[in-house]
Amino acid sequence: MPKIGDIELPDFPLLLAPMEDVSDPPFRALCKEQGADVVYTEFISSEGLIRDAAKSMIKLDIYEKERPVGIQIFGAELDSMLQATDIVEKSNPDIIDINFGCPVKKVVSKNAGAGILRDIPLMVKLTEEIVKRTKLPVTVKTRLGWDTSSIKIVEVAERLQDVGIKAISIHGRTRVQMYKGDADWKPIAEVKNNSRMHIPVFGNGDVDTPEAAVKMRDEYGLDGAMIGRASIGNPWFFNAVKHFFKTGTHVSPPTMEERVDAARRHLQMAIDWKGEKLGVFETRRHYTNYFKGIPHFKEYRMKMVTSDESVDVFAAFDEVLEKFGDFQFA
């Protein structure tokens, strides 16, 4: 059974990836209910934290029901990252995760996220100092390398382990690839098969079916799967994977009633957390996925994503249930 520090995990745990504007407390709660074993916050700017920026500070909100939960930070300045570590520790997460994988230009241009893959000594130094700074287990999420000509992930993972990280999650693409092409899990397996590695190695990228999770476990021998895009608007994905692990069969897709119920609860939790205006606005991105595959749905989707008042969105949910309640999802 893999462990992150003293945190015991089930055999081949499923982790909810940190996703900007997605993995907030309401969404994490829904994923946790559906079988996510570890959840991570959206990534948080170290500079934003030390400036006490409201957008960064609210991302520190975590709840008992979602444990074990990791708070993820990013940055490239040592002092800022250490101060951010102190701030994060006060929020009492179970894990501090360092983002060395975000490929977005505004992050990379500051040498943070995947940008640091061009400076491995700095990556190792930052990690070492953060490990020294906190009593919490530190984990890292990263990519294979900056580009295909600079993949040294086996060596990088070993060096990060040597300075004290307790687990590593690796996305099977380079920064240059962004999210294009297929994720390559072979180099992640090479990390796992390095005889010097003893911390859990989690795979990330293209785990979008239960079969893919089985393949990552059985063919590549990884310790767990970190799931990102496949879970957006689909918190049931974790349960679907676990059902497949147990039975080898696919669980029935969630019914319309279950989808509407999840959308309602998601919206209500978001309003309770951030207030009416932001709660309504920030939940919109999930509705397309909750109700994917329903023909002639545009009118209802538009109501959900353009209404500024929650009462109108809740009314749209009621209309959907009334009109499409018998719809059979494939």
Side-chain angles (χ1 to χ4, degrees):
M1 298 284 194
K3 288 174 76 173
I4 299 176
D6 294 330
I7 302 165
E8 295 190 9
L9 300 173
D11 192 34
F12 203 79
L14 304 179
L15 297 80
L16 172 66
M19 290 179 282
E20 176 72 349
D21 295 330
V22 175
S23 51
D24 59 12
F27 185 64
R28 297 197 305 263
L30 291 169
C31 291
K32 190 78 183 178
E33 286 173 17
Q34 291 295 330
D37 296 301
V38 182
V39 298
Y40 287 89
T41 65
E42 304 167 78
F43 73 165
I44 307 176
S45 161
S46 56
E47 303 293 338
L49 281 180
I50 64 176
R51 287 198 316 271
D52 203 23
K55 189 173 184 226
S56 296
M57 296 304 287
I58 197 167
K59 290 180 184 176
L60 293 172
D61 290 351
I62 56 175
Y63 298 89
E64 286 304 311
K65 64 188 174 187
E66 53 181 321
R67 293 188 186 280
V69 57
I71 291 180
Q72 191 189 69
I73 55 174
F74 74 94
E77 296 293 328
L78 179 58
D79 282 352
S80 302
M81 288 291 273
L82 291 177
Q83 287 181 63
T85 300
D86 295 342
I87 294 165
V88 165
E89 196 172 54
K90 290 188 184 113
S91 293
N92 197 29
D94 302 286
I95 299 160
I96 293 179
D97 189 71
I98 312 172
N99 181 310
F100 291 143
C102 177
V104 175
K105 190 174 179 184
K106 70 176 181 181
V107 173
V108 168
S109 64
K110 295 178 180 143
N111 215 23
I116 209 166
L117 289 165
R118 294 170 296 190
D119 189 347
I120 302 303
L122 176 60
M123 183 187 194
V124 174
K125 180 68 177 166
L126 272 178
T127 306
E128 181 176 21
E129 294 303 319
I130 289 170
V131 168
K132 286 180 187 168
R133 188 77 163 211
T134 179
K135 65 182 187 300
L136 294 167
V138 174
T139 61
V140 159
K141 182 167 191 282
T142 189
R143 287 184 168 232
L144 299 179
W146 177 257
D147 56 24
T148 49
S149 66
S150 62
I151 294 176
K152 297 176 182 164
I153 191 62
V154 174
E155 175 203 333
V156 168
E158 190 178 304
R159 289 176 69 182
L160 293 172
Q161 173 185 266
D162 289 349
V163 298
I165 68 167
K166 300 302 183 189
I168 187 166
S169 300
I170 304 169
H171 184 114
R173 290 181 175 88
T174 63
R175 188 276 161 174
V176 168
Q177 271 184 278
M178 300 294 284
Y179 293 100
K180 297 188 181 80
D182 294 329
D184 183 2
W185 300 344
K186 289 193 286 298
I188 311 175
E190 288 168 19
V191 172
K192 175 63 191 168
N193 292 330
N194 175 2
S195 61
R196 287 205 66 247
M197 289 297 286
H198 54 78
I199 61 171
V201 178
F202 303 123
N204 176 230
D206 296 355
V207 185
D208 50 13
T209 62
E211 287 88 346
V214 168
K215 190 172 185 181
M216 186 174 266
R217 181 188 69 180
D218 296 349
E219 289 185 33
Y220 290 82
L222 302 183
D223 293 304
M226 180 174 271
I227 292 158
R229 288 176 291 169
S231 68
I232 299 176
N234 184 19
W236 304 279
F237 185 73
F238 297 94
N239 178 55
V241 171
K242 291 191 167 179
H243 179 87
F244 193 81
F245 280 170
K246 274 187 195 149
T247 67
T249 62
H250 288 275
V251 70
S252 300
T255 63
M256 183 61 77
E257 196 168 342
E258 288 169 319
R259 288 165 197 264
V260 168
D261 179 60
R264 273 193 192 121
R265 289 180 58 221
H266 194 155
L267 176 55
Q268 189 59 57
M269 285 191 284
I271 292 167
D272 293 344
W273 178 49
K274 273 196 170 178
E276 168 84 9
K277 188 175 178 185
L278 278 174
V280 169
F281 178 73
E282 294 191 0
T283 316
R284 287 175 178 171
R285 62 181 55 86
H286 293 270
Y287 299 142
T288 300
N289 288 58
Y290 278 135
F291 302 109
K292 190 181 272 181
I294 306 169
H296 315 299
F297 195 73
K298 186 176 178 185
E299 173 194 345
Y300 301 93
R301 186 172 67 248
M302 291 305 291
K303 285 182 186 177
M304 293 176 194
V305 301
T306 57
S307 300
D308 292 325
E309 306 286 334
S310 62
V311 65
D312 297 327
V313 184
F314 284 122
F317 294 155
D318 292 338
E319 285 180 52
V320 166
L321 195 55
E322 192 175 321
K323 183 168 176 65
F324 299 100
D326 297 329
F327 182 77
Q328 297 293 308
F329 289 88

